[in-house]
Amino acid sequence: GVQKDRVDKSAVGFEHQSELSKHASQTDAAKGFGGKFGVQKDRVDKSAHSFDQTGDDSTQYKTKIDVKGDVKNFRSRFENFGAAAEEENKRRVEEEKRKRDLEFKRQVEASKKKEAAAEEQRMKEEQLRREEEEKRRQEDERRESETRRLDEERLEAQRRDEERRAREEQDSMNKRQEEEQRRFEEDRRREEEQRQNEERRREEDRRRAEEEKRQMEERKAEERRLAEEKRMEEERRAAEEKRLEAERAAQQTTTKSGPGKQAKAIYDYVAGDDDEVSFAVGDLISQIEMIDDGWANGSVNGKRGMFPIGYAEIVEDQSPVKPSRSPAQPAVEPPSDPEDKGLCGTAIYDYEAADTDEISFAEGEEITNIEMPDPGWWIGICRGKRGIFPMAYIQLNDKEPAEDLGKCGTALYDYEAGADDETGLTEGCKVTNIEIIDEGWWVGVSGGRK
């Protein structure tokens, strides 16, 4: 059974179901946002229009345009009419913009009010939850206090019984207790001495180990420092030797080498001016022209410009070998369709055919229908004749047709996007497909993003 006198009067049974307090709009039908119970008149926006109002005096358009000037002069009347129409259009645009701004502000305020109401409701629910938890905690503490009190009473009764038995046996146990206490004190003293001795030994071992570890780390650090200094010195010496060899090789070249002369980059270089070219280690630099002792002109990845000769190594005897052609191979006529030019290129040097299966061209001429059967010699059409030619004498054109990019522009400054519908810009980047939507904002494409 249950001790009825110990039952908590404020406790609820397992069948109890608590309910949350209702909002004012759930208990009072007069409070709400319309419907069959009406509208709270004190909450109505005084500046809002009713559904019966269909016009707006501020947006009424003029049905008649005032014509300024001499009405007898047809030209003056026409110009005045155009000016009035332009002013009317500007006024309409400004009115529409003002309406959009007011609507946006209204929506923002409504959203803020809704969020504030939701936050207030959440705070109320949180407060109720905390109050219930506080009541539950207080009840638990009360129960624990009652339990502790009962345990203390039981322990007190046991203690009194033990004291009574102890007093009865005290006379017979005094000697035994004193002997045990003496032995206990001696044992404790011996254990304390052993513990202190053991701690002193451990401390000495620890200090000795730390000293050995510190000395070993110092030796290793010194060895690493010496090895690093040696490695850096070897790298500096090797780099300096390569640079001196490259400069000596560059000084031995002629003032202007042929189109077949090439060099291989041995260091990375970033262009410092518009008339320079950038390259990475291993890039091939072709069509080299010496400028002075330290600089030369060359082409890298389709771009031509200056570069320091010490960053590259001249590659000798790189002229391409003309592929053999069977004399029994029939001549190929140019394509019948003049619009189908295939892969095209532009001559950057003059070339005079040295054999019947070669073609001649001058600087600036276009070579069409280019084929690449060999790394050094290509096949193409120029002046109505098809034949082979050295690839180092031309520069390929773009194959893809120009894309319609609409209105284009170039960024003058860096700009970081501040929203999802904006695109970031870097100084000098190209912006295409520009559309003007506002006096201060345009729409365009940059970096593949519109």
Side-chain angles (χ1 to χ4, degrees):
V2 180
Q3 290 179 290
K4 300 295 186 181
D5 58 332
R6 300 296 180 90
V7 175
D8 184 11
K9 306 301 182 183
S10 62
V12 296
F14 293 99
E15 69 278 5
H16 176 76
Q17 295 182 356
S18 61
E19 295 182 357
L20 298 176
S21 60
K22 294 185 178 180
H23 189 261
S25 61
Q26 296 176 295
T27 58
D28 188 359
K31 294 183 180 181
F33 303 97
K36 66 180 182 179
F37 297 104
V39 180
Q40 288 179 282
K41 299 298 184 181
D42 57 331
R43 301 295 179 89
V44 176
D45 186 5
K46 307 301 181 183
S47 63
H49 293 179
S50 64
F51 294 99
D52 299 330
Q53 185 172 357
T54 59
D56 187 4
D57 296 338
S58 62
T59 60
Q60 296 297 324
Y61 298 105
K62 296 181 179 179
T63 59
K64 183 177 179 181
I65 300 175
D66 297 334
V67 180
K68 301 178 182 178
D70 187 4
V71 296
K72 295 180 181 182
N73 190 334
F74 178 77
R75 180 177 180 181
S76 175
R77 291 166 58 191
F78 184 80
E79 291 176 351
N80 291 335
F81 179 80
E86 184 177 358
E87 292 177 356
E88 183 64 14
N89 290 334
K90 289 182 179 179
R91 189 187 65 77
R92 291 179 183 178
V93 171
E94 293 175 354
E95 183 66 15
E96 290 297 328
K97 185 176 181 181
R98 184 184 64 80
K99 286 183 177 181
R100 288 197 300 270
D101 293 340
L102 291 176
E103 179 65 19
F104 177 75
K105 291 180 180 179
R106 186 187 64 77
Q107 293 178 357
V108 171
E109 292 176 355
S111 176
K112 290 181 178 179
K113 289 180 180 179
K114 186 176 179 180
E115 292 176 356
E119 182 65 16
E120 183 179 359
Q121 180 65 20
R122 188 186 66 78
M123 293 297 291
K124 288 181 178 179
E125 294 175 355
E126 182 68 19
Q127 181 66 22
L128 291 174
R129 185 183 63 79
R130 286 197 296 266
E131 291 177 356
E132 291 178 358
E133 291 179 353
E134 182 64 19
K135 290 180 180 178
R136 193 180 300 110
R137 185 185 62 79
Q138 292 177 358
E139 183 63 22
D140 293 339
E141 291 178 353
R142 189 187 63 78
R143 292 178 181 176
E144 291 177 358
S145 178
E146 184 68 17
T147 302
R148 286 195 300 270
R149 186 181 63 79
L150 294 174
D151 292 338
E152 289 174 357
E153 290 177 356
R154 185 172 61 255
L155 292 174
E156 182 65 18
Q158 293 177 0
R159 185 182 62 80
R160 286 195 296 269
D161 293 337
E162 291 175 356
E163 288 178 354
R164 186 177 62 257
R165 288 193 299 269
R167 283 193 300 270
E168 293 173 354
E169 298 175 356
Q170 185 174 5
D171 294 337
S172 61
M173 297 179 62
N174 283 335
K175 293 182 180 180
R176 186 179 60 184
Q177 289 178 356
E178 291 176 355
E179 184 65 25
E180 289 177 353
Q181 182 67 23
R182 184 180 60 79
R183 287 197 300 269
F184 173 78
E185 290 292 335
E186 291 178 355
D187 293 338
R188 186 177 63 80
R189 181 177 55 79
R190 285 194 297 270
E191 290 175 357
E192 183 67 21
E193 291 177 354
Q194 292 177 358
R195 184 184 62 81
Q196 292 178 359
N197 294 333
E198 184 66 24
E199 287 180 355
R200 282 196 296 271
R201 284 195 298 271
R202 284 198 297 267
E203 182 67 21
E204 291 175 358
D205 294 339
R206 184 182 62 80
R207 284 199 298 267
R208 190 181 304 108
E210 288 179 352
E211 182 65 22
E212 292 175 356
K213 182 179 179 181
R214 184 183 61 79
Q215 293 177 0
M216 183 177 296
E217 288 177 351
E218 290 178 353
R219 287 196 300 271
K220 289 182 179 180
E222 183 64 21
E223 291 174 358
R224 287 195 298 269
R225 184 182 64 80
L226 294 175
E228 183 67 18
E229 290 178 355
K230 183 177 180 181
R231 184 184 62 80
M232 292 177 64
E233 183 63 27
E234 291 175 355
E235 289 179 354
R236 284 196 296 270
R237 190 182 303 109
E240 184 66 20
E241 289 175 0
K242 288 183 179 180
R243 186 183 64 80
L244 293 176
E245 289 177 2
E247 290 179 354
R248 286 195 297 271
Q251 291 174 0
Q252 293 174 2
T253 58
T254 58
T255 303
K256 179 179 179 181
S257 59
K261 291 293 184 180
Q262 297 177 344
K264 185 176 182 181
I266 58 177
Y267 304 101
D268 294 338
Y269 179 72
V270 179
D273 205 346
D274 296 336
D275 59 349
E276 297 180 13
V277 291
S278 301
F279 49 79
V281 175
D283 286 351
L284 194 64
I285 308 170
S286 60
Q287 303 163 7
I288 297 176
E289 295 178 9
M290 299 301 298
I291 300 176
D292 55 21
D293 294 339
W295 290 83
N297 271 330
S299 298
V300 182
N301 299 324
K303 183 178 179 181
R304 187 169 181 82
M306 297 191 305
F307 66 96
I309 194 63
Y311 282 74
E313 181 179 4
I314 300 297
V315 181
E316 298 294 337
D317 299 327
Q318 292 296 321
S319 300
V321 180
K322 183 175 73 172
S324 60
R325 179 174 178 178
S326 173
Q329 183 179 0
V332 180
E333 297 295 333
S336 59
D337 186 4
E339 297 297 331
D340 185 14
K341 295 183 179 182
L343 183 61
C344 301
T346 304
I348 57 177
Y349 301 101
D350 296 339
Y351 181 72
E352 189 68 27
D355 204 345
T356 56
D357 60 348
E358 300 181 8
I359 58 173
S360 302
F361 47 78
E363 181 180 355
E365 281 192 287
E366 185 181 32
I367 296 91
T368 63
N369 300 97
I370 295 175
E371 301 177 10
M372 304 175 183
D374 188 81
W377 288 80
W378 293 349
I379 301 175
I381 298 175
C382 184
R383 303 176 184 176
K385 181 181 178 182
R386 186 170 187 269
I388 63 175
F389 59 91
M391 56 81 63
Y393 281 74
I394 73 164
Q395 183 175 4
L396 293 177
N397 301 334
D398 295 333
K399 295 193 298 181
E400 297 295 334
E403 182 183 359
D404 184 13
L405 300 179
K407 294 183 179 180
C408 302
T410 302
L412 301 178
Y413 310 98
D414 294 340
Y415 176 72
E416 183 177 359
D420 294 336
D421 59 347
E422 296 182 9
T423 180
L425 302 175
T426 55
E427 182 179 355
C429 72
K430 189 175 182 181
V431 185
T432 61
N433 301 101
I434 295 177
E435 299 175 14
I436 302 175
I437 60 172
D438 198 289
E439 295 180 357
W441 290 87
W442 294 353
V443 175
V445 178
S446 176
R449 175 179 173 83
K450 184 174 182 181

